[in-house]
Amino acid sequence: MKPGIHPAYGPVVFRDKAADFAFLTRSTATSTNTVEWEDGNTYPVIDVEISSQSHPFYTGTARVLDTAGRVERFQRRYGSTA
């Protein structure tokens, strides 16, 4: 790797305010906002709208779509190719 062309890679806190959930990880993303973490250190914080704690797929609240009905409606509308 060439030196001096890559962004800084360091610890960052990602915070999901909707689910009141935050996790510390490493990233090249930066922010001017900071937060004091559980270990007493201060890290940059990035607020996100959806995380694994609030996403319907991971929380089990995802809705199942009626794909069979959609296929039948398409075939009625445009006919089958048989």
Side-chain angles (χ1 to χ4, degrees), residues 1 3 8 15 28-29 33 39 41 44 52 67 70 75 82:
M1 291 189 343
R15 178 173 57 190
T28 58
N33 300 334
D39 61 2
N41 294 330
S52 61
T67 55
R70 290 183 179 194
Q75 288 177 348

Side-chain angles (χ1 to χ4, degrees), residues 1-80:
M1 291 189 343
K2 292 184 179 180
I5 64 168
H6 300 285
Y9 183 70
V12 177
V13 173
F14 286 92
R15 178 173 57 190
D16 181 359
K17 287 190 163 188
D20 194 29
F21 175 71
F23 60 95
L24 177 65
T25 187
R26 295 178 57 87
S27 176
T28 58
T30 60
S31 175
T32 57
N33 300 334
T34 60
V35 66
E36 186 173 335
W37 193 243
E38 299 162 353
D39 61 2
N41 294 330
T42 302
Y43 299 107
V45 62
I46 297 176
D47 293 324
V48 294
E49 294 181 16
I50 296 177
S51 70
S52 61
Q53 295 295 316
S54 62
H55 193 279
F57 178 79
Y58 296 107
T59 59
T61 59
R63 296 183 303 174
V64 177
L65 297 177
D66 181 21
T67 55
R70 290 183 179 194
V71 171
E72 291 168 0
R73 187 172 56 212
F74 177 84
Q75 288 177 348
R76 274 197 318 260
R77 190 178 293 170
Y78 299 107
S80 62

